[in-house]
Amino acid sequence: MISEIIKDQIKKSSVIRQMFEEGARLAKQYGKENVFDFSLGNPNVPAPDSVNESVKKILDTEESVKIHGYMNNAGFPEVRKKIADSLNRRFNTGFDETNICMSTGAAGGMNAILKAILNPGDEVIVFAPYFGEYANYVANFGGTLVTVPPALPEFRPDPEIFGEYFTEKTKAVIINNPNNPTGVVYSEEDIKAIVSVIEEKKAQFGTDICLISDEPYRELVYDGTEVPYLTKYYSDTFVCYSYSKSLSLPGERIGYVVIPDEMTDAKDVKAAVSLATRILGFVNAPSLMQLVAAENVDAEVNVSAYDKNRKALYEGLTGLGFECVEPEGAFYLFMKSPIDDDKTFCDMAKAENILLVPGSAFGCPGYVRIAYCVSYETIVRSLPGFEKLSGVFGLVQ
Ligand code: PLP
């Protein structure tokens, strides 16, 4: 019954989800407190109180037909205006409501952007390791994902290598900053280097090449790390933002896409993203959550719990002899597997009730991802299991 394409996609379907389901099974068998599930990027920090207060206030004060009705596919204009104003205050940009299209999270935003720009056969460049769902999103519109190999050991983009992956079919480059799965944050210098390669290739091939900045982790940064705002460096930039991680609202499916006026054919692109939102079947982003987002555009994002976990995990694992990339943002730690076969290492960790995701799910075999958006106790209680694994490989002399 089902299509050959989705048959293949099911086969390759997200290892992360499979691990999450495995976690639920193990929790039933051994008790939740004895299973260390680091598989899914599901925030454990509750949404700020102001979010729940906004929900109640909106339900009490706004007209029901407005809250629950259809609207412009791009979203409520006043919500988009509030978001634009907040971006302008924070990043010194010059957006208004016409530059914002509300989306059903980052996943909905990415699909709307790709639907708007891709012709079948177009290529989209990503840097490995990358969020595995990009392959499905690009395939949804007949595009081809082109992977720049990982720049070990620091996972910062190497402009020379990056330049080799462009062809006349390159339509877009996706940057995910702060990065899932490495926790690395590209600096202004990294971004300028990437942009200069794109400019050069655009001139060489005489084509339009967009930058897509997928940034659901923008506010989740540590030690004052800055995340450059990409529309300021390259005018053909889409920003894809989500409240899933910053406000801990992944189930609510709310985010937005930014389309700057400086973008080539900006008016058509805005119309295309808005129409794509409709015809992909989202129609518009969830209405109540749009109103909630508008009330919380400047809500303070609490990163202290993640930061505490980050430090405990990084110090714990490196103390046990594991090689880790020190995370600067998001809530993931990328650790080198002590053996080349990352899947076998994940199986060994599973025997200690520790659930990790193999780096191969992100186009980077030989590593594993640890999502530390869990309780601090989970981190502390998992360390003896990691110690056993370290012992197996004789990592501490
Ligand atoms: N992009 C990246 C890099 C992610 O890590 C995720 C979720 O984990 C998404 C997009 C999808 O986010 P959302 O839940 O907002 O659709």
Side-chain angles (χ1 to χ4, degrees):
M1 173 70 97
I2 64 173
S3 85
E4 293 307 316
I5 295 174
I6 203 143
K7 214 181 270 175
D8 187 48
Q9 284 173 323
I10 290 174
K11 220 186 288 159
K12 295 186 200 143
S13 121
S14 176
V15 183
I16 304 174
R17 284 270 157 189
Q18 286 164 19
M19 278 289 182
F20 181 62
E21 278 152 28
E22 183 68 6
R25 193 186 64 76
L26 289 174
K28 248 194 215 155
Q29 194 175 344
Y30 296 104
K32 204 167 180 276
E33 67 288 1
N34 297 315
V35 176
F36 313 109
D37 187 351
F38 296 108
S39 62
L40 198 63
N42 200 10
N44 72 314
V45 169
D49 289 344
S50 61
V51 165
N52 292 344
E53 282 155 18
S54 301
V55 174
K56 290 180 207 149
K57 192 185 113 192
I58 292 161
L59 290 175
D60 283 344
T61 56
E62 293 279 3
E63 267 185 78
S64 183
V65 284
K66 172 176 176 181
I67 302 172
H68 304 300
Y70 283 129
M71 70 189 74
N72 183 319
N73 303 136
F76 290 118
E78 73 274 19
V79 168
R80 291 148 56 206
K81 173 82 168 71
K82 275 199 175 165
I83 290 171
D85 289 346
S86 164
L87 293 174
N88 297 342
R89 277 194 302 278
R90 288 188 288 152
F91 307 116
N92 202 19
T93 45
F95 303 130
D96 63 26
E97 65 274 22
T98 68
N99 300 112
I100 311 291
C101 180
M102 301 305 292
S103 69
T104 52
M110 290 297 286
N111 275 280
I113 294 167
L114 293 166
K115 169 101 181 146
I117 62 169
L118 289 186
N119 287 307
D122 281 351
E123 295 173 355
V124 178
I125 299 181
V126 291
F127 296 91
Y130 61 88
F131 178 55
E133 294 290 85
Y134 291 153
N136 290 324
Y137 300 167
V138 169
N140 281 345
F141 310 104
T144 305
L145 196 78
V146 174
T147 308
V148 180
L152 305 172
E154 292 188 343
F155 297 102
R156 297 205 166 275
D158 179 327
E160 259 177 53
I161 295 177
F162 171 48
E164 291 168 13
Y165 287 81
F166 285 76
T167 72
E168 66 283 353
K169 290 192 172 162
T170 305
K171 191 61 189 279
V173 175
I174 300 176
I175 291 185
N176 169 219
N177 203 31
N179 187 263
N180 172 11
T182 62
V184 166
V185 176
Y186 293 174
S187 66
E188 181 174 45
E189 200 184 319
D190 294 326
I191 297 301
K192 282 184 172 165
I194 290 172
V195 166
S196 106
V197 174
I198 300 175
E199 299 274 18
E200 180 197 320
K201 294 296 167 184
K202 205 171 146 174
Q204 180 182 336
F205 294 113
T207 49
D208 290 326
I209 304 176
C210 325
L211 192 52
I212 304 174
S213 181
D214 180 27
E215 43 185 68
Y217 304 97
R218 164 164 284 283
E219 288 85 9
L220 304 187
V221 286
Y222 312 105
D223 302 331
T225 303
E226 299 264 340
V227 185
Y229 205 78
L230 295 201
T231 58
K232 295 164 78 170
Y233 299 86
Y234 187 70
S235 52
D236 286 345
T237 297
F238 293 93
V239 176
C240 181
Y241 182 79
S242 164
Y243 294 97
S244 295
K245 315 291 175 166
S246 57
L247 295 186
S248 301
L249 298 174
E252 301 291 358
R253 316 305 307 136
I254 187 71
Y256 60 83
V257 172
V258 179
I259 304 151
D261 283 337
E262 295 72 26
M263 181 176 280
T264 309
D265 304 328
K267 202 164 162 239
D268 291 345
V269 178
K270 289 176 191 177
V273 173
S274 175
L275 180 65
T277 301
R278 180 170 110 210
I279 65 183
L280 285 173
F282 306 126
V283 181
N284 55 251
S287 50
L288 174 59
M289 281 303 131
Q290 289 191 38
L291 298 167
V292 171
E295 297 240 330
N296 288 276
V297 280
D298 297 322
E300 202 168 311
V301 176
N302 183 359
V303 296
S304 60
Y306 298 136
D307 196 16
K308 187 174 167 193
N309 288 357
R310 172 182 80 114
K311 286 179 178 142
L313 194 61
Y314 181 75
E315 279 160 24
L317 293 175
T318 50
L320 292 170
F322 289 101
E323 230 178 273
C324 303
V325 183
E326 189 170 6
E328 302 167 292
F331 40 49
Y332 305 107
L333 185 142
F334 212 46
M335 182 174 95
K336 195 164 181 345
S337 162
I339 43 171
D340 288 347
D341 184 347
D342 49 329
K343 289 181 186 151
T344 299
F345 180 69
C346 286
D347 286 342
M348 293 174 74
K350 199 160 74 182
E352 302 299 331
N353 282 351
I354 296 174
L355 297 180
L356 311 172
V357 182
S360 34
F362 306 95
C364 187
Y367 282 77
V368 293
R369 187 191 79 171
I370 308 176
Y372 58 82
C373 44
V374 296
S375 72
Y376 181 68
E377 289 67 39
T378 300
I379 306 250
V380 173
R381 285 168 54 83
S382 71
L383 289 174
F386 280 110
E387 189 171 1
K388 270 202 205 161
L389 292 166
S390 161
V392 171
F393 296 104
L395 298 183
V396 183
Q397 303 304 322

